[in-house]
Amino acid sequence: MSDAAEGSVGIVAAQRVVIDTPLLLDCGRSLSRHELMIETYGTLNAERSNAVLICHALSGDHHAAGFHEAADRKPGWWDNCIGPGKPIDTNRFFVVALNNLGGCRGSTGPSTVDPQSGKPYGPDFPLLTVRDWVRSQAMLADRLGIARWAAVVGGSLGGMQVMQWAIDLPERIANAIVIAAAPQLSAQNIAFNEIARQAILSDPEFHGGHFYDHGVVPSRGLMLARMIGHITYLSDAAMRAKFGNELKVAVPSFNFDIEFEVESYLRYQGQAFVDRFDANTYLLMTKALDYFDPARDFGDRLELAFARTRARFLVVAFSSDWRFSPARSREIVKALVDAGRDVSYAVVDSQLGHDDFLMPIPQYHAVLRNYLLRVSDEVGATIGVPA
Amino acid sequence: MSDAAEGSVGIVAAQRVVIDTPLLLDCGRSLSRHELMIETYGTLNAERSNAVLICHALSGDHHAAGFHEAADRKPGWWDNCIGPGKPIDTNRFFVVALNNLGGCRGSTGPSTVDPQSGKPYGPDFPLLTVRDWVRSQAMLADRLGIARWAAVVGGSLGGMQVMQWAIDLPERIANAIVIAAAPQLSAQNIAFNEIARQAILSDPEFHGGHFYDHGVVPSRGLMLARMIGHITYLSDAAMRAKFGNELKVAVPSFNFDIEFEVESYLRYQGQAFVDRFDANTYLLMTKALDYFDPARDFGDRLELAFARTRARFLVVAFSSDWRFSPARSREIVKALVDAGRDVSYAVVDSQLGHDDFLMPIPQYHAVLRNYLLRVSDEVGATIGVPA
């Protein structure tokens, strides 16, 4: 369990999976086929019982661990948690990460060329729900020959997919690990998303979502959207500790140049995001967040939604998270308890805010590790040298 | 003290005050003259000792109480607090409200025509600091023959002006009433302001601030800026109570139309703001907020800044305010105590958030009323029928 025992999954290659089965979506439309980019780490055991699905958050993708090339500066987005000897231990589990349908990292989404028109789908790509993602991920599981996940794991929007898995396909998920999530967005959460959307939609270079045809991207709007998001990912205290509120310059410039460290940080984050993310996918992701409300079909009684579940739950919240605070996780836990389900709950002492779900906080990783060791024992996961 | 005893100041008329004294600004530039729009309520007593200055917040102006015409739908922005028998009692005090320099309601500001060029100043109007406003307001006091304010009162950015008055002109302010303020912005506060500014600056219709010449306004950017501000004015709980997170429509529309109540509210607020506010003034106001830091000239020791003050202080915070939380007000109070100053402090139980400083919360108004009754007694304020 020491750091010395932890390793990297090393060089990994993404795979493209074509799903030919028609997918009926919540919006009423259907996709006759779709493609998903995935990565897998570790080895599926003979019983096919040790598979773990990683669901990503708003801007995540299938590259969750390891490196694509030896020269890569950064590993996958959850490399600190996934690997040999790590909390999601690839010596024990066969880990599957995907880029969700609607994404912009290779899976079918708004920036994909529509075979019918020969142009990117753009705004004609259907808006999706968390339920749609679960349906798509279930088709992926079928393709991989995984009848039942040992665990489905996700933080933030990823945690919402985990809950929906447990509700919609109770026989196909043994353990649901829901991290830094909420049972539905608050009005404030929706407000932040709406402003981000308006920033994109009102950018003249958005062109109603057909910006691909104009050879431009709505960079101003997408940059603003990302900056707004970043405020909600960090706690007030973390921003203070990280940036202070001191001027970067000795005397005020009395213009709108960058003067404060936090301005510099936000502009950098916003600009970097424009270079790697699609505006239509951003809109789609925020809308999926807003729509998520598994209790809606059960008379707004979350415990009735959870009464259908069969998984054991681990719910993890972070003390400094104000986007999806521990109070929101307690709503999930209370509904699970009311539904008579088996649930463990941990609140991790943290500083950074919502982004802590991506951080290697020892208490957090210990909670995941210990929970998953029990899962590993129960499903007879492979222990030893990966293939 | 019952509601029945409270009245309106009735129909009021704004006055234009021309300040011919050159005003040297913190940025190094100076204005040879400037004009301020003001309103006054109540009567200045013979000793000229009962004057109260109202400092406005980011989007406020000189119309603080009463009506301009009998047909007005809404009174001034703080009408619930200013009037005969109200907490800021116009039977006792001569109340002065102004539109700050740099504003857009008639006082000299970016939308004013520069006599030299014959065109609006636009981005050539100097950026201002809270200290500049205090200097301008002191010139106004000179013009009105007010050597010393019985009290200077303000919420949010207004409260910052109050603190600066007490520090910069200690002999001219008897009581400093600082409401829902902070001793400096946090990194998170600055981040919100920066995103609002970027929304305006990146709007193609901003035209580098010269939008007046193009017959347009940067409505998209200003609307986004206001929407971002609104999130910080309301508590998460208040937004939940006010809007819930229920869909306005029976089934999701799967497009970007308004679907949630909070979206409808934000778009309405944003649109209404575009019709009444100037984008350059908005930029200027947010920058003044970011620059405010009275401790900067005192080695970041706020207690040394406050050691110069002679006023008695009343500091009021609101429990649900997360923009300038009670913790920020406590920083002010602690520094005042450390400086050996006379300070009263009240935290008002509230629900709405930062906007509560504008609300007629009984506990809040009782605190103001009782404090100001003592002030009234001490300065020998007129009691009885106003002129």
mmCIF file of all heavy atoms in Angstrom, chain A residues 319-344:
data_model
loop_
_atom_site.group_PDB
_atom_site.id
_atom_site.type_symbol
_atom_site.label_atom_id
_atom_site.label_comp_id
_atom_site.label_asym_id
_atom_site.label_seq_id
_atom_site.Cartn_x
_atom_site.Cartn_y
_atom_site.Cartn_z
ATOM 1 N N SER A 319 -15.408 18.207 2.010
ATOM 2 C CA SER A 319 -15.870 19.255 2.918
ATOM 3 C C SER A 319 -15.842 20.637 2.282
ATOM 4 O O SER A 319 -16.666 21.491 2.597
ATOM 5 C CB SER A 319 -15.034 19.253 4.201
ATOM 6 O OG SER A 319 -13.682 19.566 3.920
ATOM 7 N N SER A 320 -14.915 20.886 1.373
ATOM 8 C CA SER A 320 -14.761 22.223 0.807
ATOM 9 C C SER A 320 -15.501 22.402 -0.526
ATOM 10 O O SER A 320 -15.393 23.448 -1.154
ATOM 11 C CB SER A 320 -13.279 22.526 0.597
ATOM 12 O OG SER A 320 -12.725 21.611 -0.332
ATOM 13 N N ASP A 321 -16.264 21.394 -0.926
ATOM 14 C CA ASP A 321 -16.965 21.435 -2.219
ATOM 15 C C ASP A 321 -18.248 22.235 -2.059
ATOM 16 O O ASP A 321 -19.146 21.834 -1.321
ATOM 17 C CB ASP A 321 -17.269 19.998 -2.658
ATOM 18 C CG ASP A 321 -17.911 19.896 -4.038
ATOM 19 O OD1 ASP A 321 -18.278 20.928 -4.620
ATOM 20 O OD2 ASP A 321 -18.047 18.754 -4.524
ATOM 21 N N TRP A 322 -18.335 23.370 -2.722
ATOM 22 C CA TRP A 322 -19.588 24.142 -2.633
ATOM 23 C C TRP A 322 -20.433 23.999 -3.894
ATOM 24 O O TRP A 322 -21.567 24.444 -3.930
ATOM 25 C CB TRP A 322 -19.324 25.613 -2.301
ATOM 26 C CG TRP A 322 -18.610 26.422 -3.349
ATOM 27 C CD1 TRP A 322 -17.264 26.472 -3.564
ATOM 28 C CD2 TRP A 322 -19.188 27.307 -4.313
ATOM 29 N NE1 TRP A 322 -16.972 27.324 -4.605
ATOM 30 C CE2 TRP A 322 -18.133 27.861 -5.077
ATOM 31 C CE3 TRP A 322 -20.499 27.705 -4.615
ATOM 32 C CZ2 TRP A 322 -18.337 28.770 -6.121
ATOM 33 C CZ3 TRP A 322 -20.693 28.605 -5.661
ATOM 34 C CH2 TRP A 322 -19.627 29.130 -6.387
ATOM 35 N N ARG A 323 -19.886 23.365 -4.927
ATOM 36 C CA ARG A 323 -20.696 23.088 -6.123
ATOM 37 C C ARG A 323 -21.700 21.982 -5.817
ATOM 38 O O ARG A 323 -22.893 22.167 -5.960
ATOM 39 C CB ARG A 323 -19.784 22.686 -7.290
ATOM 40 C CG ARG A 323 -20.525 22.412 -8.597
ATOM 41 C CD ARG A 323 -19.549 21.899 -9.660
ATOM 42 N NE ARG A 323 -20.204 21.535 -10.896
ATOM 43 C CZ ARG A 323 -20.403 22.359 -11.930
ATOM 44 N NH1 ARG A 323 -20.042 23.614 -11.842
ATOM 45 N NH2 ARG A 323 -20.966 21.935 -13.039
ATOM 46 N N PHE A 324 -21.175 20.831 -5.376
ATOM 47 C CA PHE A 324 -22.036 19.749 -4.896
ATOM 48 C C PHE A 324 -21.559 19.428 -3.484
ATOM 49 O O PHE A 324 -20.703 18.564 -3.278
ATOM 50 C CB PHE A 324 -21.949 18.516 -5.798
ATOM 51 C CG PHE A 324 -22.405 18.751 -7.224
ATOM 52 C CD1 PHE A 324 -21.739 18.165 -8.284
ATOM 53 C CD2 PHE A 324 -23.505 19.546 -7.505
ATOM 54 C CE1 PHE A 324 -22.149 18.366 -9.607
ATOM 55 C CE2 PHE A 324 -23.928 19.762 -8.816
ATOM 56 C CZ PHE A 324 -23.249 19.167 -9.865
ATOM 57 N N SER A 325 -22.103 20.147 -2.542
ATOM 58 C CA SER A 325 -21.616 20.111 -1.154
ATOM 59 C C SER A 325 -21.968 18.793 -0.482
ATOM 60 O O SER A 325 -22.819 18.033 -0.960
ATOM 61 C CB SER A 325 -22.243 21.260 -0.384
ATOM 62 O OG SER A 325 -23.620 20.990 -0.205
ATOM 63 N N PRO A 326 -21.336 18.499 0.662
ATOM 64 C CA PRO A 326 -21.701 17.311 1.426
ATOM 65 C C PRO A 326 -23.198 17.238 1.744
ATOM 66 O O PRO A 326 -23.765 16.144 1.811
ATOM 67 C CB PRO A 326 -20.853 17.455 2.696
ATOM 68 C CG PRO A 326 -19.621 18.184 2.236
ATOM 69 C CD PRO A 326 -20.134 19.166 1.216
ATOM 70 N N ALA A 327 -23.841 18.387 1.890
ATOM 71 C CA ALA A 327 -25.289 18.368 2.148
ATOM 72 C C ALA A 327 -26.043 17.674 1.014
ATOM 73 O O ALA A 327 -27.041 16.982 1.245
ATOM 74 C CB ALA A 327 -25.819 19.799 2.334
ATOM 75 N N ARG A 328 -25.549 17.872 -0.219
ATOM 76 C CA ARG A 328 -26.203 17.208 -1.359
ATOM 77 C C ARG A 328 -25.947 15.710 -1.339
ATOM 78 O O ARG A 328 -26.824 14.912 -1.661
ATOM 79 C CB ARG A 328 -25.728 17.800 -2.703
ATOM 80 C CG ARG A 328 -25.865 19.304 -2.871
ATOM 81 C CD ARG A 328 -27.259 19.850 -2.530
ATOM 82 N NE ARG A 328 -28.372 19.167 -3.161
ATOM 83 C CZ ARG A 328 -28.835 19.413 -4.392
ATOM 84 N NH1 ARG A 328 -28.268 20.338 -5.122
ATOM 85 N NH2 ARG A 328 -29.866 18.745 -4.883
ATOM 86 N N SER A 329 -24.724 15.312 -0.941
ATOM 87 C CA SER A 329 -24.436 13.878 -0.836
ATOM 88 C C SER A 329 -25.277 13.240 0.275
ATOM 89 O O SER A 329 -25.716 12.091 0.150
ATOM 90 C CB SER A 329 -22.948 13.641 -0.572
ATOM 91 O OG SER A 329 -22.201 13.799 -1.765
ATOM 92 N N ARG A 330 -25.502 14.006 1.346
ATOM 93 C CA ARG A 330 -26.341 13.459 2.425
ATOM 94 C C ARG A 330 -27.767 13.214 1.960
ATOM 95 O O ARG A 330 -28.430 12.286 2.425
ATOM 96 C CB ARG A 330 -26.329 14.399 3.647
ATOM 97 C CG ARG A 330 -25.081 14.268 4.505
ATOM 98 C CD ARG A 330 -25.281 14.888 5.885
ATOM 99 N NE ARG A 330 -25.622 16.297 5.829
ATOM 100 C CZ ARG A 330 -24.737 17.303 5.742
ATOM 101 N NH1 ARG A 330 -23.445 17.041 5.704
ATOM 102 N NH2 ARG A 330 -25.143 18.538 5.711
ATOM 103 N N GLU A 331 -28.244 14.026 1.025
ATOM 104 C CA GLU A 331 -29.578 13.767 0.452
ATOM 105 C C GLU A 331 -29.600 12.399 -0.224
ATOM 106 O O GLU A 331 -30.582 11.656 -0.117
ATOM 107 C CB GLU A 331 -29.955 14.850 -0.571
ATOM 108 C CG GLU A 331 -30.158 16.241 0.002
ATOM 109 C CD GLU A 331 -30.421 17.270 -1.104
ATOM 110 O OE1 GLU A 331 -31.030 16.922 -2.139
ATOM 111 O OE2 GLU A 331 -29.990 18.431 -0.945
ATOM 112 N N ILE A 332 -28.511 12.103 -0.934
ATOM 113 C CA ILE A 332 -28.409 10.796 -1.602
ATOM 114 C C ILE A 332 -28.392 9.680 -0.555
ATOM 115 O O ILE A 332 -29.128 8.690 -0.659
ATOM 116 C CB ILE A 332 -27.135 10.730 -2.474
ATOM 117 C CG1 ILE A 332 -27.192 11.776 -3.597
ATOM 118 C CG2 ILE A 332 -26.927 9.325 -3.039
ATOM 119 C CD1 ILE A 332 -25.858 11.981 -4.327
ATOM 120 N N VAL A 333 -27.560 9.864 0.468
ATOM 121 C CA VAL A 333 -27.410 8.834 1.497
ATOM 122 C C VAL A 333 -28.729 8.621 2.236
ATOM 123 O O VAL A 333 -29.158 7.479 2.470
ATOM 124 C CB VAL A 333 -26.286 9.223 2.480
ATOM 125 C CG1 VAL A 333 -26.258 8.279 3.671
ATOM 126 C CG2 VAL A 333 -24.933 9.226 1.755
ATOM 127 N N LYS A 334 -29.399 9.717 2.553
ATOM 128 C CA LYS A 334 -30.662 9.596 3.288
ATOM 129 C C LYS A 334 -31.684 8.817 2.462
ATOM 130 O O LYS A 334 -32.393 7.940 2.986
ATOM 131 C CB LYS A 334 -31.210 10.987 3.623
ATOM 132 C CG LYS A 334 -32.535 10.912 4.385
ATOM 133 C CD LYS A 334 -33.071 12.253 4.798
ATOM 134 C CE LYS A 334 -34.302 12.082 5.689
ATOM 135 N NZ LYS A 334 -35.353 11.219 5.094
ATOM 136 N N ALA A 335 -31.763 9.126 1.169
ATOM 137 C CA ALA A 335 -32.727 8.428 0.315
ATOM 138 C C ALA A 335 -32.379 6.943 0.204
ATOM 139 O O ALA A 335 -33.277 6.094 0.186
ATOM 140 C CB ALA A 335 -32.769 9.080 -1.066
ATOM 141 N N LEU A 336 -31.089 6.642 0.163
ATOM 142 C CA LEU A 336 -30.675 5.237 0.099
ATOM 143 C C LEU A 336 -31.027 4.515 1.394
ATOM 144 O O LEU A 336 -31.515 3.374 1.376
ATOM 145 C CB LEU A 336 -29.165 5.141 -0.174
ATOM 146 C CG LEU A 336 -28.739 5.434 -1.612
ATOM 147 C CD1 LEU A 336 -27.229 5.673 -1.693
ATOM 148 C CD2 LEU A 336 -29.144 4.276 -2.543
ATOM 149 N N VAL A 337 -30.786 5.164 2.516
ATOM 150 C CA VAL A 337 -31.133 4.567 3.807
ATOM 151 C C VAL A 337 -32.643 4.360 3.901
ATOM 152 O O VAL A 337 -33.127 3.294 4.298
ATOM 153 C CB VAL A 337 -30.621 5.453 4.968
ATOM 154 C CG1 VAL A 337 -31.182 4.979 6.308
ATOM 155 C CG2 VAL A 337 -29.090 5.464 4.986
ATOM 156 N N ASP A 338 -33.393 5.391 3.496
ATOM 157 C CA ASP A 338 -34.855 5.287 3.518
ATOM 158 C C ASP A 338 -35.337 4.149 2.627
ATOM 159 O O ASP A 338 -36.385 3.553 2.879
ATOM 160 C CB ASP A 338 -35.498 6.597 3.056
ATOM 161 C CG ASP A 338 -35.341 7.709 4.093
ATOM 162 O OD1 ASP A 338 -34.923 7.404 5.233
ATOM 163 O OD2 ASP A 338 -35.631 8.877 3.764
ATOM 164 N N ALA A 339 -34.580 3.880 1.570
ATOM 165 C CA ALA A 339 -34.949 2.802 0.649
ATOM 166 C C ALA A 339 -34.435 1.450 1.136
ATOM 167 O O ALA A 339 -34.617 0.444 0.452
ATOM 168 C CB ALA A 339 -34.399 3.108 -0.751
ATOM 169 N N GLY A 340 -33.779 1.439 2.291
ATOM 170 C CA GLY A 340 -33.274 0.183 2.835
ATOM 171 C C GLY A 340 -32.059 -0.358 2.113
ATOM 172 O O GLY A 340 -31.779 -1.563 2.154
ATOM 173 N N ARG A 341 -31.317 0.510 1.437
ATOM 174 C CA ARG A 341 -30.152 0.058 0.690
ATOM 175 C C ARG A 341 -28.905 0.080 1.573
ATOM 176 O O ARG A 341 -28.863 0.726 2.619
ATOM 177 C CB ARG A 341 -29.917 0.929 -0.557
ATOM 178 C CG ARG A 341 -31.115 1.119 -1.461
ATOM 179 C CD ARG A 341 -31.853 -0.174 -1.790
ATOM 180 N NE ARG A 341 -30.923 -1.186 -2.283
ATOM 181 C CZ ARG A 341 -31.063 -2.493 -2.125
ATOM 182 N NH1 ARG A 341 -32.093 -2.972 -1.458
ATOM 183 N NH2 ARG A 341 -30.179 -3.321 -2.604
ATOM 184 N N ASP A 342 -27.874 -0.616 1.093
ATOM 185 C CA ASP A 342 -26.591 -0.729 1.790
ATOM 186 C C ASP A 342 -25.701 0.412 1.303
ATOM 187 O O ASP A 342 -25.326 0.452 0.133
ATOM 188 C CB ASP A 342 -25.974 -2.086 1.442
ATOM 189 C CG ASP A 342 -24.647 -2.345 2.150
ATOM 190 O OD1 ASP A 342 -23.982 -1.370 2.571
ATOM 191 O OD2 ASP A 342 -24.278 -3.527 2.254
ATOM 192 N N VAL A 343 -25.372 1.341 2.195
ATOM 193 C CA VAL A 343 -24.605 2.500 1.757
ATOM 194 C C VAL A 343 -23.532 2.868 2.779
ATOM 195 O O VAL A 343 -23.779 2.858 3.988
ATOM 196 C CB VAL A 343 -25.530 3.722 1.488
ATOM 197 C CG1 VAL A 343 -26.403 4.040 2.689
ATOM 198 C CG2 VAL A 343 -24.732 4.958 1.073
ATOM 199 N N SER A 344 -22.342 3.130 2.275
ATOM 200 C CA SER A 344 -21.271 3.707 3.092
ATOM 201 C C SER A 344 -21.112 5.163 2.659
ATOM 202 O O SER A 344 -21.297 5.482 1.476
ATOM 203 C CB SER A 344 -19.941 2.977 2.849
ATOM 204 O OG SER A 344 -20.075 1.601 3.130
#
